[in-house]
Amino acid sequence: MNARDAIFANIRRSLGVTGAEATRRFEVERRIAEAPAGVVPKRGQGDLPARIATFKAEAERSQASVAEVDSLADAPAEVARFLRDSNGPATVRMGADPRLDALPWGETAQEISSGPSDGHDVNAVSMALAGIAETGTLALVSGADNPTTLNFLPDNHIVVVRREDIVADYESAFARLRSVYGKGGAPRTLNLVTGPSRSADIEQTLLLGAHGPRRLHIVVAG
């Protein structure tokens, strides 16, 4: 018996059960199938304009910057503006997301690189699965379309999220994940990112970029 089996055996013994009881197994299977939601905070609720307003306020409170553009096609120009205003190089790395790849990057002076980051990239662009209004959080899934290395290695992380993908709460974000990928098809990693990387471990002094990007810029596209 390994350690895991020993722990479960002790739990079953203390409860006076074997784990094979039909009623107990039925309850477990029902709960997994129905996935009942717990208490959901009210803060992120409302119609789409209200969710976007809350998302923007919460993201900025976490020291991210947020810009709204009329359409996805306007995202490259906004990325170029952000990098120019930040005195950053006009170089961008992104994954193979077809929505990003189809944008008019050639209309800007940016040099585009594709694939995961090896840690030497200053700027990266990702496409979010969802924005969560409740806390101004981005839901970012792993894969060739949006490599996880882009979320953490470059100094500047720029994330594009569609207006329609801004949801009220975490429960809605997980529901969206299930609806997009289906049962058993979810990506290996879901990263929930709120603001740029930071730490206050040393003398309670806030340091940006401690474990990831120093800047997080969010482009909300119509």
Side-chain angles (χ1 to χ4, degrees):
M1 179 181 292
N2 59 35
R4 180 178 182 274
D5 292 337
I7 291 171
F8 283 132
N10 287 335
I11 293 173
R12 293 188 185 102
R13 185 163 51 252
S14 67
L15 294 175
V17 299
T18 66
E21 292 84 0
T23 55
R24 292 176 64 84
R25 297 186 70 86
F26 171 79
E27 284 301 319
V28 170
E29 291 169 1
R30 181 186 64 81
R31 183 172 180 83
I32 292 174
E34 295 180 0
V39 177
V40 178
K42 186 177 181 180
R43 181 169 55 193
Q45 308 301 311
D47 58 13
L48 183 57
R51 295 199 303 272
I52 292 172
T54 302
F55 173 81
K56 183 177 180 180
E58 293 300 317
E60 290 176 341
R61 192 161 69 93
S62 299
Q63 297 184 301
S65 55
V66 184
E68 295 188 56
V69 296
D70 292 336
S71 69
L72 279 175
D74 298 317
E78 171 54 30
V79 172
R81 182 208 62 78
F82 169 75
L83 296 179
R84 184 172 58 251
D85 291 353
S86 302
N87 292 319
T91 58
V92 167
R93 180 170 290 276
M94 61 186 187
D97 193 302
R99 294 166 297 181
L100 292 177
D101 189 57
L103 299 183
W105 299 99
E107 296 179 5
T108 70
Q110 297 169 90
E111 179 183 337
I112 307 298
S113 300
S114 299
S117 175
D118 62 2
H120 293 91
D121 300 291
V122 179
N123 310 307
V125 176
S126 299
M127 191 84 191
L129 171 76
I132 303 171
E134 179 185 338
T135 53
T137 297
L138 296 162
L140 301 161
V141 295
S142 63
D145 284 357
N146 292 282
T148 294
T149 53
L150 303 186
N151 301 343
F152 302 111
L153 297 184
D155 280 346
N156 300 310
H157 191 201
I158 304 160
V159 180
V160 180
V161 60
R162 299 183 304 178
R163 289 172 56 88
E164 64 197 66
D165 292 336
I166 295 179
V167 299
D169 45 56
Y170 287 86
E171 287 79 3
S172 298
F174 284 113
R176 175 163 177 72
L177 181 71
R178 288 190 291 268
S179 68
V180 170
Y181 291 96
K183 186 176 182 180
R188 184 175 181 85
T189 304
L190 170 67
N191 291 299
L192 300 173
V193 174
T194 308
S197 171
R198 75 201 74 189
S199 175
D201 291 343
I202 301 175
E203 298 182 352
Q204 299 299 299
T205 300
L206 184 64
L207 174 67
L208 295 180
H211 310 293
R214 298 175 187 275
R215 298 185 184 91
L216 173 64
H217 184 59
I218 303 170
V219 181
V220 179

